[in-house]
Amino acid sequence: MPASPSTARAINDRLALRLLQQEGPLTAGRLKQLTGLSRPTVADLVERLTAAGLIAVVGETGEQRRGPNAKVYGIVADRAHLAALDVRTEGVSVAVADLVGGVLAEASVPIGGDMGTGPAVEQAVTLVERVVKDAGADRLHTVGIGAPGLIDPSSGELRDSTGLPEWHRRFVATLQERLPHTRVRVENETNLAAVAEQRDGAARDRDTFVLLWLGHGTGAAVVLDGALRRGASGGTGEIGFLPVPGTAALPTSTDCEGGFHSLASSAAVLDLAAEYGVAAAAGQEVPAVGVVRAAAGVVREAVGRVRSAALPRQTGPLPEVPPSGSDPAARFLDALADRLAVGVASVVAILDPGCVVLGGEVGKAGGVELAARVQDRIARMTPLPTEVRVTTLGGGAVLRGALLSARDRAQEELFTPGEGLRLGRPDGGQGPSSPPPGRSVGVGRP
């Protein structure tokens, strides 16, 4: 059955807007080439989108033809403003962007473990308000939040998890109260990092892969056939609870100590480094920079020593791993790779992803030296071919993923004829067809 005229117009409008997002400003002629639509159809959609305030003339080009210059159209970036938040155990990072994802302002604030819940929440909310002001945004259309822990798939809210600060859950609720007309979406931090790695990072050429997050704790995100998988209860990838050999006890339903977390968390990495006599550089100790940066620092220090000792022979995407000998730094990296391989091998045996990305601050610090060691061990432990890659985004992947998620959500609404094209308010605020005020928390999709 052929599409109705209104459906055809909606499809054409969304196609044009997606192209303008992906390609940047385009002329009507270029839109015609990329869409395959007729000139009159393109002229009509340009007129509709301009009238709706979604696109505007941003320049002109001669296009190597006679006659007047052709107008160049682009998405109206300030049609709505978005915010991305990376909520960690030790602090919060915030970025505010326009509708096309251009970052206008960003900042971070540390939040110590000795700070009470109320002051911590107020400090985090104040940071968001300050960054919004610095960006020159009057109102936020959508906020994407990445946070550790389990997200309830039915409500989209953070579950009350032992080991995570109470201020995390209070912060999300308080932020929604302060921004009653803003769409607030919460997603597990590792899932958002995987979104970023697939679209802008180490997994851009992969439809199926697993991201192993190595930060304050551990986590895994599973992408199969291009789709992020969350599981029945939203807990896919809670690899920190995986029972593993070499720990003193089994994890419990409320505590991942004794699981893979005990082998690969930042605290565990620091303890392992101390066993091998590898210390962080001066000024990079835990009291000065926090446990995550300290763990990344000792791994980076070990990698630097290994590189200085002998440049490895490059035989492919990853370097050949030389014998460790008596070098404490190399032996520390070997021991860390042994631990990581236990978790990776378990994931590979169940999912056969073909590719595992070592993410987070510690994964980034380990570089190809650590990735090569893990890949070498996986090749000996499983018959399933698995490439181990290094994150290209590091700890910044969560914030990037939150921004991509917020941008997608906002554009999905604003670019939908009958919904997005109904907008009469450039601030994206409450209107006759907008969702009612109040809580609007939900799980964000990549």
Side-chain angles (χ1 to χ4, degrees), residues 7 43 57 81 100 135 137 141 169 186 193 205 305 355 358 369 378:
T7 300
V57 176
H81 290 95
V100 297
H141 180 281
R169 298 178 72 243
V186 187
D205 61 336
R305 294 185 193 179
C355 176
L358 301 184
E369 283 76 12
I378 296 302

Side-chain angles (χ1 to χ4, degrees), residues 84-388:
L85 280 67
D86 180 2
V87 180
R88 301 286 187 99
T89 302
E90 299 176 329
V92 179
S93 296
V94 181
V96 173
D98 57 33
L99 183 57
V100 297
V103 176
L104 304 173
E106 56 185 321
S108 301
V109 63
I111 297 179
D114 56 348
M115 184 178 293
T117 298
V121 169
E122 190 58 35
Q123 185 166 345
V125 172
T126 299
L127 176 68
V128 174
E129 294 173 339
R130 176 168 65 83
V131 178
V132 170
K133 182 178 179 181
D134 291 345
D138 295 327
R139 183 175 297 182
L140 294 176
H141 180 281
T142 304
V143 174
I145 301 176
L150 292 169
I151 311 296
D152 189 319
S154 60
S155 67
E157 296 181 341
L158 276 170
R159 293 184 182 177
D160 187 7
S161 302
T162 302
L164 294 177
E166 171 61 24
W167 67 264
H168 280 192
R169 298 178 72 243
R170 287 273 302 278
F171 167 59
V172 173
T174 302
L175 189 63
Q176 183 67 74
E177 293 170 1
R178 300 278 186 93
L179 305 172
H181 304 311
T182 298
R183 295 81 169 152
V184 178
R185 308 285 177 173
V186 187
E187 177 63 276
N188 174 268
E189 59 175 355
T190 309
N191 286 345
L192 288 178
V195 170
E197 292 288 358
Q198 185 180 35
R199 295 185 38 188
D200 294 337
R204 280 176 291 182
D205 61 336
R206 304 291 305 201
D207 287 332
T208 295
F209 72 99
V210 169
L211 171 70
L212 179 62
W213 183 259
L214 302 172
H216 188 278
T218 60
V222 177
V223 177
L224 301 178
D225 300 323
L228 182 66
R229 308 294 180 174
R230 296 183 178 83
S233 62
T236 294
E238 287 295 324
I239 197 171
F241 287 89
L242 178 72
V244 293
T247 59
L250 291 174
T252 70
S253 62
T254 58
D255 191 352
C256 57
E257 287 297 332
F260 183 65
H261 173 89
S262 297
L263 297 182
S265 67
S266 285
V269 170
L270 288 171
D271 290 343
L272 184 65
E275 290 181 23
Y276 286 90
V278 179
Q284 295 298 306
E285 299 85 357
V286 174
V289 299
V291 66
V292 178
R293 289 179 59 186
V298 296
V299 173
R300 192 177 300 111
E301 177 72 14
V303 169
R305 294 185 193 179
V306 169
R307 289 176 178 173
S308 298
L311 292 176
R313 298 192 304 275
Q314 190 74 26
T315 60
L318 295 178
E320 180 179 302
V321 180
S324 299
S326 59
D327 181 8
R331 290 193 296 120
F332 161 61
L333 291 179
D334 284 342
L336 180 56
D338 287 340
R339 292 185 172 193
L340 298 182
V342 171
V344 173
S346 299
V347 170
V348 169
I350 301 299
L351 297 175
D352 186 19
C355 176
V356 174
V357 177
L358 301 184
E361 291 85 355
V362 174
K364 178 75 169 178
V368 294
E369 283 76 12
L370 181 59
R373 284 169 164 80
V374 175
Q375 180 168 305
D376 181 61
R377 285 154 177 77
I378 296 302
R380 299 197 302 266
M381 296 169 69
T382 174
L384 307 177
T386 305
E387 180 183 3
V388 179

